[in-house]
Amino acid sequence: LDLCPQVLDALAAAAAFPVLATDVVAEVVDLLRLFDQRTKQLVLFAGALHSSARLRTITAKHLGLAAQALGLVLALLPHIRAALRATLPPKHASLLDEVDAVARDYGDHHRKVLAKFSTIIGETVDAAGGGLSGVDYDAAATAAATVPRAAFFGDVAKNLTALHGVLAKQLPDDEVQDVCADIVALLGKKLPPLAAAPIADTPEGRVRLEADLRYLEASVAALPSVDASGLRIDAIVAERKAGVSKGEPP
């Protein structure tokens, strides 16, 4: 669907023939709603997996492209509305309420697409987090390493870095920052119970666990314009130390 050319053609027709203005409002609204609904069906609801596109999965890149397209329409909508308003007789100005409703629908759709990025990382954490209970930090603490002993931390860092790279190419900086802030906040909620599991019973093991946590923190902090403080690593480490003072194995 070539949305922008069709909308521009409709606006041009209304400007040239004002008698068509009311019909043009209905046409433009229909075009915008069709694009919104089709994008939602194919990407947000994963309909593209069963379409002629034959996609195997909806990737972060697909979501990014959808968010980019929706963001473009949202940026154009005030100008589209103004162009329509200029051609409508005052008695038909209420027809623009439909354009306003479309704008709200696009905004809601755009927010839901952006929220999907947090879902991607959340699913990665949920799928891999259970494996932390099987990591023997005490045995691993004797060997030096610059990468995490637990694959979980490396996988989360790798996925988040890759996601940030996709977003940075497709979305405005402010949206990238908002998405990453939501992801960091989500990780800040999911990490404490994972790190509280009994996977490091010796001082050396706890040091190794902290090193893994700091590895993740440093990886997130290295991403442009991303604040890693929301991971609450300092609080997690403090809670582990507090657990020792309350009677956990020293």
Side-chain angles (χ1 to χ4, degrees), residues 160 179-189 220 226-231:
L160 185 52
V179 169
C180 289
D182 289 342
I183 291 173
V184 169
L186 177 66
L187 290 174
K189 294 178 181 178
V220 173
V226 178
D227 182 5
S229 63
L231 294 175

Side-chain angles (χ1 to χ4, degrees), residues 3 31-37 39 69-71 73-74 77 101-111:
L3 177 66
L31 286 170
L32 291 170
R33 281 180 171 157
L34 176 60
F35 184 80
D36 181 46
Q37 292 168 2
T39 303
L70 294 168
V73 176
L74 280 168
L77 272 170
V102 167
R104 290 192 293 272
D105 290 342
Y106 268 80
D108 180 64
H109 187 182
H110 189 248
R111 286 188 292 273

Side-chain angles (χ1 to χ4, degrees), residues 115-205:
K116 279 289 186 179
F117 295 114
S118 294
T119 300
I120 291 174
I121 297 299
E123 290 175 349
T124 298
V125 171
D126 292 340
L132 277 176
S133 60
V135 177
D136 190 345
Y137 276 98
D138 297 333
T142 57
T146 57
V147 297
R149 287 296 176 189
F152 167 82
F153 294 102
D155 289 345
V156 173
K158 179 181 178 180
N159 278 279
L160 185 52
T161 300
L163 178 59
H164 185 278
V166 170
L167 297 179
K169 294 177 181 178
Q170 297 178 320
L171 300 180
D173 289 343
D174 59 333
E175 289 184 8
V176 175
Q177 292 177 24
D178 289 343
V179 169
C180 289
D182 289 342
I183 291 173
V184 169
L186 177 66
L187 290 174
K189 294 178 181 178
K190 288 182 174 290
L191 284 176
L194 293 174
I199 55 180
D201 295 329
T202 66
E204 294 81 6

Side-chain angles (χ1 to χ4, degrees), residues 44-55:
L44 199 59
F45 298 154
L49 302 184
H50 311 290
S51 71
S52 58
R54 296 183 180 179
L55 298 179

